Amino acid sequence: MMEHMKAVAKGHADYINRVSVQILETGRYGRIFTRAEGRYLWDSHARKYLDMVGAFGAATIGHNHPSVVHALREYLGAAQCHICHFGLIESPVQLAERLAELVPPPLKISLFSSSGAEAVDAAMKLARAATGRKKFVYCDGGYHGTNLGTLSVMGVDRLRKPFEPLLPDCTAIPYGDIGALEAALSGSDCAAFIVEPIQAEAGVVLPPDGYLREALQVCRRCGTLLILDEVQTGLGRTGRMFGMQWDEVVPDILLLAKGLSGGIAPIGVTLTSESLFRAAYGNPETHDLHGSTFGGNGFSAAAALASLAVIDAERLVENSDRVGNYCLQGLRRRLSGHPLVKDIRGRGLLIGVELSDGKRVPNRSPTSAQRLSPAGIYCQWLCLRMLEQGIVCQTASLHWNILKLTPPLGVQESEIDVFLSVLEGVVREDDDMGKVCRKFAKRMSASDMHTW
Ligand code: PMP
């Protein structure tokens, strides 16, 4: 087994990405996870871990949920037409009907794709085609995927810069700033404003109360569409079925992906109203302007239908709200006031713990240097120490100084207690940030694929 796993690590380094393997080794994720069930993962040494990352928010219903596995076995057993663009297949239609029941009107029509980024791209094209306008406004710190189109509205310089020039006429504004939005849309020539209800990858950044409601009003006044990217916040993550419910808004275009198929099959969906869809793609010349081979495939749709049923049957949205609050309170009770802890925030089971080295906190547009700030390295160290004690957690991808929690939504209070005790123990034991950074740097320079 050991030899086999070494070969996997070497194969990944040789044929996929060497630096990723080295970084994983440094963080001593020099573990290969070979089994995933419910809220737990197992590595190749059969060690068990509580999963507080949940496939970066995709494993909302837990890993390999038996209902989804059963549904997919049945689906495959029936030997159906999996992809059939010259005919019609049933499961995507059932999924679109179910989604139309879940979302508020006038949202109704589903454009299916295979990832979050594809759902964003589809939204941008839809907005241009429906409005005849070209411009987009987006927020600093916003994460919308790494395709060329989505990078154009990505508020993260490090991810954009190497690929410029991107789409012209895309303007960034500060997240949560209504005045800036008004100014950016004032020409009444902008196709859409794209925004996350909570900026997840930026480190669980919550906007001021009522922000989305006011943003929608500004968009309406200027004839601009509102695109809500709920790839991460949707489907129960924030303690509501959709993050938009916290502000009681209905956007023109709503995006879902990640957890929609239970983290098993690639899927994304761009939901919109009949009228906008008609304006964009409503005649024989335009009806097929957007599409892809796997978009709307039967297997992913079957997985999504089964996953949505689990979210309902197990009351995962309510659980996310209740256990999320429990976790937030526990974190605050145990860690508030600690000199390294700057902020603890979140909604439902989307929670961030921001650490600080006491110096100026990085801004929301990170470079690699900021990711490797002392607080960023310290936070990676925390994750490593927790891993050693049977808990998987990770930092926000854009700000390593923020621990970002997105566990499966069925996580229980007793599991949160275990997580909190381990986290508190590690923070209290290793609270010399300078010392930890030196240790980590030494490890990083020694990393050479030998701990696998
Ligand atoms: N939008 C948001 C809000 C996301 O968090 C992500 C992924 N982290 C994406 C879009 C892109 O999704 P994908 O990785 O499936 O392309």
Side-chain angles (χ1 to χ4, degrees):
M1 189 67 162
M2 274 289 286
E3 284 313 305
H4 174 66
M5 287 308 155
K6 267 189 200 305
V8 172
K10 185 172 176 332
H12 196 109
D14 288 349
Y15 298 106
I16 299 181
N17 188 329
R18 176 164 299 273
V19 177
S20 303
V21 174
Q22 283 167 336
I23 288 178
L24 287 180
E25 179 183 273
T26 304
R28 195 143 8 102
Y29 307 109
R31 289 162 164 80
I32 294 179
F33 292 97
T34 48
R35 193 173 139 217
E37 235 182 87
R39 301 183 286 280
Y40 292 88
L41 304 174
W42 285 261
D43 69 14
S44 52
H45 300 278
R47 288 176 297 212
K48 184 178 176 186
Y49 302 83
L50 175 66
D51 183 8
M52 295 298 287
V53 177
F56 298 101
T60 42
I61 60 169
H63 299 280
N64 290 311
H65 194 287
S67 301
V68 180
V69 171
H70 175 75
L72 291 178
R73 285 210 168 104
E74 295 264 297
Y75 174 85
L76 290 177
Q80 304 189 32
C81 260
H82 189 48
I83 295 171
C84 186
H85 292 293
F86 47 81
L88 303 174
I89 39 182
E90 196 177 1
S91 59
V93 175
Q94 290 171 332
L95 176 59
E97 284 169 356
R98 179 71 193 110
L99 287 169
E101 280 167 13
L102 269 184
V103 295
L107 296 174
K108 175 178 172 187
I109 305 288
S110 286
L111 271 91
F112 289 117
S113 53
S114 304
S115 69
E118 280 187 37
V120 175
D121 258 354
M124 294 170 72
K125 288 175 69 181
L126 178 78
R128 278 191 167 178
T131 63
R133 298 179 178 186
K134 306 278 174 254
K135 298 184 180 175
F136 294 102
V137 172
Y138 63 97
C139 289
D140 289 330
Y143 190 103
H144 301 292
T146 55
N147 291 356
L148 269 180
T150 54
L151 281 177
S152 308
V153 293
M154 175 86 102
V156 186
D157 285 349
R158 188 180 70 86
L159 298 179
R160 297 163 53 97
K161 283 280 177 233
F163 309 104
E164 285 175 354
L166 299 166
L167 286 179
D169 296 327
C170 296
T171 307
I173 58 170
Y175 186 56
D177 184 337
I178 285 294
L181 180 64
E182 274 171 335
L185 300 189
S186 60
S188 291
D189 57 353
C190 180
F193 170 49
I194 180 164
V195 65
E196 295 163 83
I198 294 174
Q199 287 190 327
E201 295 303 329
V204 191
V205 180
L206 281 82
D209 283 345
Y211 172 60
L212 291 183
R213 214 169 19 243
E214 286 183 57
L216 181 62
Q217 285 163 7
V218 177
C219 285
R220 289 280 180 270
R221 279 204 298 278
C222 303
T224 295
L225 303 180
L226 177 66
I227 303 174
L228 271 193
D229 182 344
E230 294 237 29
V231 164
Q232 193 141 176
T233 53
L235 303 169
R237 175 60 52 199
T238 71
R240 299 288 180 274
M241 183 54 94
F242 303 107
M244 64 187 179
Q245 289 171 277
W246 287 97
D247 259 4
E248 295 173 354
V249 294
V250 182
D252 301 288
I253 303 177
L254 174 72
L255 312 177
L256 303 173
K258 284 196 191 277
L260 182 54
S261 71
I264 292 183
I267 192 166
V269 62
T270 303
L271 280 144
T272 191
S273 64
E274 237 173 327
S275 59
L276 276 178
F277 187 81
R278 212 177 308 117
Y281 303 127
N283 66 53
E285 261 311 294
T286 58
H287 82 283
D288 58 353
L289 281 179
H290 187 80
S292 76
T293 306
F294 279 93
N297 74 77
F299 184 78
S300 297
L305 277 165
S307 301
L308 290 174
V310 171
I311 291 177
D312 257 5
E314 298 185 0
R315 305 179 68 82
L316 292 181
V317 182
E318 290 87 334
N319 200 71
S320 167
D321 195 31
R322 195 188 70 248
V323 180
N325 270 324
Y326 181 82
C327 185
L328 260 185
Q329 281 166 18
L331 283 165
R332 288 186 177 135
R333 204 174 47 250
R334 288 167 186 254
L335 293 179
S336 286
H338 189 285
L340 298 182
V341 177
K342 179 162 187 282
D343 192 24
I344 296 168
R345 55 180 178 258
R347 264 189 192 143
L349 285 166
L350 178 57
I351 294 177
V353 179
E354 179 163 349
L355 301 186
S356 159
D357 51 12
K359 308 207 180 77
R360 212 180 72 79
V361 182
N363 65 31
R364 301 279 170 217
S365 172
T367 64
S368 13
Q370 283 163 340
R371 289 210 307 178
L372 296 174
S373 69
I377 292 178
Y378 178 81
C379 218
Q380 290 293 346
W381 177 263
L382 273 190
C383 294
L384 166 61
R385 297 281 292 116
M386 296 190 63
L387 195 67
E388 288 167 348
Q389 294 178 58
I391 311 252
V392 174
C393 53
Q394 241 321 327
T395 65
S397 64
L398 304 181
H399 290 281
W400 284 3
N401 62 314
I402 301 165
L403 201 63
K404 173 171 159 266
L405 309 174
T406 49
L409 302 184
V411 67
Q412 298 293 298
E413 279 93 341
S414 55
E415 291 162 326
I416 295 294
D417 286 340
V418 172
F419 158 75
L420 291 172
S421 298
V422 172
L423 176 64
E424 186 183 13
V426 170
V427 171
R428 298 213 181 275
E429 191 184 307
D430 274 336
D431 62 358
D432 183 337
M433 198 175 269
K435 207 162 113 195
V436 163
C437 288
R438 283 191 294 280
K439 262 197 277 191
F440 206 74
K442 216 162 126 195
R443 250 185 110 89
M444 199 150 2
S445 59
S447 156
D448 192 22
M449 313 253 327
H450 42 62
T451 61
W452 294 92

